[in-house]
């Protein structure tokens, strides 16, 4: 079987065209990967700085909130101590009132009267 030179030329040109397209496509993909990697590094660096700033802001806000809560807790403790003192004073006064009422009423009446 003999093959004409035109057929060989056509097969070689189709093969080289396919090989050229495949290598060009591979080159484009590798360039895109390199660009995306560079872009990812820039974005990661940018977000790392942003993340640190945001974390610092949240820490400051948390410290301010903790300080506020501590102040309000101290005020509440002071108020609670004053209320406890007032209650103790009222308890002492109630004892005196009971004694005074008992003196006004006189001795308790008995249910059975002796004849």
């Amino acid at each position: 079987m003999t093959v004409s030179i035109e057929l060989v030329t056509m097969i070689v040109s189709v093969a080289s065209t396919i090989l050229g397209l495949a290598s060009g496509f591979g080159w484009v993909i590798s360039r895109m990967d390199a660009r995306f990697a560079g872009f990812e590094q820039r974005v990661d660096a940018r977000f790392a700085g942003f993340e640190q700033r945001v974390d610092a802001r949240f820490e400051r806000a948390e410290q301010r909130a903790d300080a506020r809560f501590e102040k309000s807790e101290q005020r509440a403790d002071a108020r609670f101590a004053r209320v406890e003192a007032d209650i103790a004073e009222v308890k002492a006064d109630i004892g005196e009132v009971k004694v005074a009422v008992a003196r006004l009423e006189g001795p308790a009446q008995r249910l059975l009267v002796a004849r």
Side-chain angles (χ1 to χ4, degrees), residues 108-114:
Q109 291 184 359
R110 297 184 181 187
L111 294 175
L112 298 174
V113 179

Side-chain angles (χ1 to χ4, degrees), residues 1-8 11:
M1 166 173 175
T2 60
V3 178
S4 68
I5 192 72
E6 290 88 14
L7 187 61
V8 172
I11 291 173

Side-chain angles (χ1 to χ4, degrees), residues 20 33-34 47-49 52-53 57 65 70 72-73 94 101-102 113:
D33 284 344
F47 278 117
Q52 289 173 353
R53 287 191 312 249
R57 285 180 70 182
E70 187 149 336
S72 66
E73 191 174 292
I94 285 178
V101 168
V113 179

Side-chain angles (χ1 to χ4, degrees), residues 83-98:
V83 168
E84 281 184 334
D86 291 344
I87 289 173
E89 187 178 324
V90 168
K91 281 183 180 178
D93 290 344
I94 285 178
E96 292 175 11
V97 169
K98 283 182 182 178

Side-chain angles (χ1 to χ4, degrees), residues 55-69:
D55 286 345
R57 285 180 70 182
F58 274 115
E59 284 297 322
R60 286 193 307 269
E62 188 175 328
Q63 289 172 356
R64 285 194 311 260
D66 288 345
R68 273 187 175 172
F69 283 130

Side-chain angles (χ1 to χ4, degrees), residues 1-39:
M1 166 173 175
T2 60
V3 178
S4 68
I5 192 72
E6 290 88 14
L7 187 61
V8 172
T9 305
M10 187 178 294
I11 291 173
V12 169
S13 65
V14 168
S16 64
T17 302
I18 291 174
L19 185 64
L21 286 174
S23 64
F25 185 69
W27 176 77
V28 167
I29 294 296
S30 68
R31 293 270 304 182
M32 286 176 54
D33 284 344
R35 281 192 101 161
F36 284 135
F39 180 73

